[in-house]
Amino acid sequence: MFKRILIANRGEIACRIARTANRLGIETVAVCSNPDRGSPFTKDCDITIPIGGATPMESYLDIGKILKAAELSGAEAIHPGYGFLSENAEFAEQCKTAGLVFIGPEPDAIRIMGLKDSARTAAINSNVPVLPGYDGEDQSPDTLLSEAKKIGYPVLIKAVAGGGGKGMRVVVSPKEFQSSLESVRRESLSAFGNESVLIEKYFPSSLHIEIQVFSDHHGNTVHLFERDCSMQRRYQKVVEESPAPLLANKLRNKMTAAAVNCAKAIGYVGAGTVEFLVDSNQFYFLEMNTRLQVEHPVTEKVTGQDLVEWQLRVAAGEPLPCSQEDIKQSGHAIEVRVYAENPDHEFLPATGTILDISKPNDHFGDMENSIRIDTGIAKGSHISTYYDPMISKVISWDKTREQARINMLTMLQCYRILGVPTNISFLQSILKQSDFIESSYDTQYLTRNLEQVLSSIPINDRIPHFACAWLFLQDLKSQQIKQEKQKEENSPWLNQQPLRSEITRTYNFDYLINANKQVLDFTYNLGRFEFEDGVKFDARITDQNEMLITHRDNKLRLHFANSNNSVFLHVDGQHHRVDILDIDYARHDLHDASGTVFSPMPGIVIEVRAKPGVSVSKGDRLLTLEAMKMEHNILAPNNGTVKTIYCKSGEAVTENAPLIIIESK
């Protein structure tokens, strides 16, 4: 077994690999970019080597820097995790040349399965059914358009080097083909450095089932059963589970056998995942991921195996720890991915600092083995624009699917993350949908039912009142400590007179919630808040980030964190954000009355379509931003004429930066 390995990755997967390596007595080496200095994964490893840079190209994708770090640290092997260099055949080869063991498959296998076109060919040669499609070398737009017509609409344009839901577009008619092709190529070139595409028949109602396979250097190949990844949004997996709820044993056996045959046919070694689309009891090969998958914990939960340990042992030349007969499925596991994103605003990725985080483990007592959280985030961690905004993976296990679902809901309700918007409430809403409970969903479920899922998220009308009380009491406490003459800088209160707790007076609170500006008028006296809309309660701050609300005999404990003009709160298992407005702080919508369109997030301008003096209609695409390697279109908010353009292609813009002025007609 290895004495020391280097982990060529970051975040939760680096923490995950280090955890198993440490248990096995293997020393671990972390590499970190400038933004990741001091991150939890660097503390989980024995040695940390800074490699500089901020963007992936300057750090985790720089092969030279990674190999130099391995040399300096004396590592014997490199674990690539997932993403970054994990499926880079050149990197695997250079590791071998440098005398390092690449903890993954051979370079030839990565090349074959790393591109979707050659992977299709390998599947066909293994007698595995593939989707009707085109993966030829002729990549001219006319040829691709012609092939799409032969396949029959709808079709799916896919980047041959794609993954993670990036570089994919559904096309339902010829008139949409060209613009979709251009978008896929741009996104693919940016994310993967390869703009080649393939076209496949698109089945709007299907399941996404993947099979975990594992092979060693001794000719052994096994499967560790399946994972259902059908709950997706924009082709990105949202919920994964094992076993697949409605998969018949006969079909399961066919798919696991096909996956094993695929791996054997290319002489595969290590962990891999063969992904299938299932439609009308027929399965089709989609792709093979030549690495450890994000969702591998659900397989670990139902099989009781540590897949990272398997990777380390196989890379060290040992045979597989288990034969096929020894691998059993037990119980049911569910995984969800928690992201820093805003479901209320088209799931735009969010950036910011984690002001408070509390794992829900304490609520489960002796059920600790039934729950798991994989994360690389801690209080004070910064979610930047440079990397994927995933905060953590939450995994639950129990004897039945229903109990695993209930466990997951309990965990999410207790999982407090304050400082950035997250999708936790959205995930809870999915798990509560009757279609999910009955396993009656497919890959397009969220496309068809997104509005229903979002509208099912509970709304607490008193959130602004609670935020108001929290800020008021904080401000009051601060002024009492500093004496009445001292006023806290940037106080949200418009009335700048000293606050006195012993008299009753009226205050007002201007705030923004869900893009709506509102005002609350209230009085305060000795802990009692009375609002003009009839809401009344007593409130007191119990510790640094907690407030107790009392109304009659009901008590409610809330957790808060605030940064600048934003208040984040966690109440009744839901997360909320309230933005406080003052006379100098009102730009939170996409546009304002002057016709100025603002950037909804930090990103890179990749295309400006608008031109000065040209008329636009409401909904027209003005420009395209790239953030988190995904494209986001900025649309005209109304009819008018483009007056001024503040940005240009290739320029970086910050959140709320002015982009374009449209003069109304």
Side-chain angles (χ1 to χ4, degrees), residues 296-331:
H296 76 273
V298 295
T299 295
E300 294 183 324
K301 278 295 186 183
V302 296
T303 62
Q305 304 299 325
D306 184 330
L307 297 189
V308 173
E309 179 178 347
W310 280 41
Q311 285 187 297
L312 294 170
R313 293 193 181 282
V314 166
E318 297 181 20
L320 292 176
C322 293
S323 65
Q324 189 65 70
E325 294 73 23
D326 295 328
I327 303 170
K328 308 294 182 184
Q329 271 181 318
S330 174

Side-chain angles (χ1 to χ4, degrees), residues 13-225:
I13 187 58
C15 294
R16 163 73 189 92
I17 295 165
R19 185 166 66 245
T20 290
N22 293 339
R23 178 173 60 80
L24 296 175
I26 302 171
E27 292 184 342
T28 53
V29 180
V31 291
C32 73
S33 65
N34 290 338
D36 278 338
R37 285 177 179 260
S39 293
F41 76 91
T42 65
K43 299 173 183 177
D44 286 352
C45 293
D46 300 291
I47 301 170
T48 299
I49 298 182
I51 55 176
T55 68
M57 291 301 297
E58 297 170 318
S59 53
Y60 302 106
L61 289 174
D62 190 320
I63 294 176
K65 287 183 176 180
I66 300 296
L67 294 179
K68 183 65 175 177
E71 179 185 355
L72 289 173
S73 65
E76 304 165 76
I78 294 182
H79 196 308
Y82 55 72
F84 294 136
L85 295 171
S86 63
E87 295 180 285
N88 188 306
E90 179 186 353
F91 178 56
E93 282 186 337
Q94 290 197 34
C95 285
K96 187 176 294 187
T97 301
L100 297 162
V101 175
F102 178 75
I103 302 175
E106 294 296 319
D108 286 345
I110 296 176
R111 285 195 180 91
I112 293 171
M113 290 302 185
L115 297 177
K116 290 180 171 59
D117 50 359
S118 57
R120 276 174 57 92
T121 301
I124 292 170
N125 293 338
S126 304
N127 295 318
V128 176
V130 299
L131 290 165
Y134 172 77
D135 56 7
E137 294 183 4
D138 187 346
Q139 291 281 301
S140 67
D142 288 343
T143 296
L144 294 172
L145 180 62
S146 175
E147 292 296 332
K149 182 179 179 181
K150 293 178 185 177
I151 296 167
Y153 291 94
V155 298
L156 185 64
I157 303 176
K158 299 169 66 174
V160 298
K166 301 179 179 70
M168 299 173 68
R169 294 291 187 279
V170 174
V171 184
V172 298
S173 68
K175 66 179 182 180
E176 301 174 9
F177 190 87
Q178 185 62 34
S179 61
S180 296
L181 175 62
E182 292 173 359
S183 183
V184 168
R185 281 181 161 164
R186 277 198 307 267
E187 200 169 276
S188 179
L189 189 62
S190 172
F192 313 109
N194 185 332
E195 66 176 3
S196 296
V197 303
L198 60 82
I199 305 170
E200 289 180 336
K201 180 65 180 175
Y202 177 71
F203 291 96
S205 180
S206 56
L207 300 178
H208 186 126
I209 307 292
E210 59 188 30
I211 308 296
Q212 178 72 61
V213 295
F214 230 108
S215 304
D216 61 21
H217 291 280
H218 304 277
N220 303 308
T221 300
V222 299
H223 69 81
L224 290 93
F225 298 99

Side-chain angles (χ1 to χ4, degrees), residues 578-602:
V578 179
D579 294 316
I580 299 88
L581 301 175
D582 57 31
I583 57 175
D584 296 317
Y585 193 81
R587 286 185 175 179
H588 270 267
D589 205 355
L590 186 64
H591 59 92
D592 65 10
S594 72
T596 303
V597 178
F598 301 98
S599 175
M601 61 193 159

Side-chain angles (χ1 to χ4, degrees), residues 307-426:
L307 297 189
V308 173
E309 179 178 347
W310 280 41
Q311 285 187 297
L312 294 170
R313 293 193 181 282
V314 166
E318 297 181 20
L320 292 176
C322 293
S323 65
Q324 189 65 70
E325 294 73 23
D326 295 328
I327 303 170
K328 308 294 182 184
Q329 271 181 318
S330 174
H332 197 98
I334 300 174
E335 174 181 302
V336 298
R337 306 182 187 192
V338 176
Y339 281 94
E341 61 184 12
N342 196 332
D344 293 328
H345 295 283
E346 298 183 353
F347 294 87
L348 291 178
T351 60
T353 300
I354 303 297
L355 304 174
D356 185 40
I357 186 167
S358 175
K359 297 180 182 179
N361 304 55
D362 295 340
H363 296 266
F364 281 80
D366 58 359
M367 294 176 59
E368 187 174 351
N369 291 331
S370 298
I371 65 172
R372 169 173 162 182
I373 294 180
D374 284 9
T375 185
I377 296 296
K379 184 177 180 179
S381 294
H382 184 71
I383 309 297
S384 75
T385 60
Y386 301 113
Y387 314 116
D388 187 274
M390 186 170 73
I391 293 175
S392 62
K393 303 180 307 195
V394 183
I395 306 99
S396 68
W397 175 92
D398 216 297
K399 294 180 180 179
T400 67
R401 181 178 187 268
E402 176 59 12
Q403 191 56 54
R405 185 187 72 87
I406 293 172
N407 292 348
M408 178 64 77
L409 278 172
T410 303
M411 291 171 67
L412 293 176
Q413 288 165 358
C414 301
Y415 198 6
R416 186 173 72 249
I417 302 174
L418 302 178
V420 295
T422 73
N423 64 336
I424 289 180
S425 295
F426 173 67

